[in-house]
Amino acid sequence: MPAYFVDELLLIAPLHHPVGVRLFGEVVGAHKGPLSRAVAEQTRATDEITVDLTRVHYLANSALETLVALAQTLHPPQRLHILACPELEVRQRLAAHAWDQAETLRLTS
């Protein structure tokens, strides 16, 4: 079973249905490593890896870039599915860098 990650700002917990991870709190640049490991671990289990950011209050651009980089390592039919609340402006931030063009990345906000 995947491990949890927790520090004073962030909790990363595994999701089982759908398969992926759920994040709670604030995701800062220092969380790129734990975030990468948690998502990469899920790529062995399914074709669609969900990253649930609906309980995240702050998402550093470097953490978003890490998720995009992870998505770009996937090969169809695998893809990364990001769930995010509109307040994080993930759709706009992806579009600003043309990251929304990645075939292996899907966003639901």
Side-chain angles (χ1 to χ4, degrees):
M1 177 166 174
Y4 288 83
F5 170 84
V6 65
D7 70 7
E8 62 277 356
L9 296 175
L10 179 67
L11 168 66
I12 301 175
L15 279 174
H16 302 289
H17 300 287
V19 174
V21 294
R22 176 174 287 149
L23 286 71
F24 300 84
E26 298 181 11
V27 189
V28 298
H31 295 126
K32 293 186 310 185
L35 179 59
S36 292
R37 285 188 294 278
V39 173
E41 190 172 309
Q42 300 302 315
T43 63
R44 298 182 212 121
T46 187
D47 282 342
E48 183 160 299
I49 304 98
T50 298
V51 178
D52 185 343
L53 302 175
T54 58
R55 292 180 176 89
V56 168
H57 308 291
Y58 172 79
L59 178 66
N61 207 53
S62 59
L64 181 57
E65 187 173 354
T66 297
L67 291 174
V68 171
L70 287 165
Q72 291 172 337
T73 67
L74 301 175
H75 302 284
Q78 275 195 317
R79 67 179 170 179
L80 193 67
H81 179 200
I82 299 174
L83 301 172
C85 56
E87 294 79 19
L88 290 177
E89 298 182 337
V90 173
R91 186 171 309 281
Q92 297 89 330
R93 293 163 67 186
L94 290 172
H97 297 282
W99 293 336
D100 58 341
Q101 304 302 311
E103 180 182 354
T104 53
L105 180 65
R106 182 175 135 212
L107 172 66
T108 303
S109 58

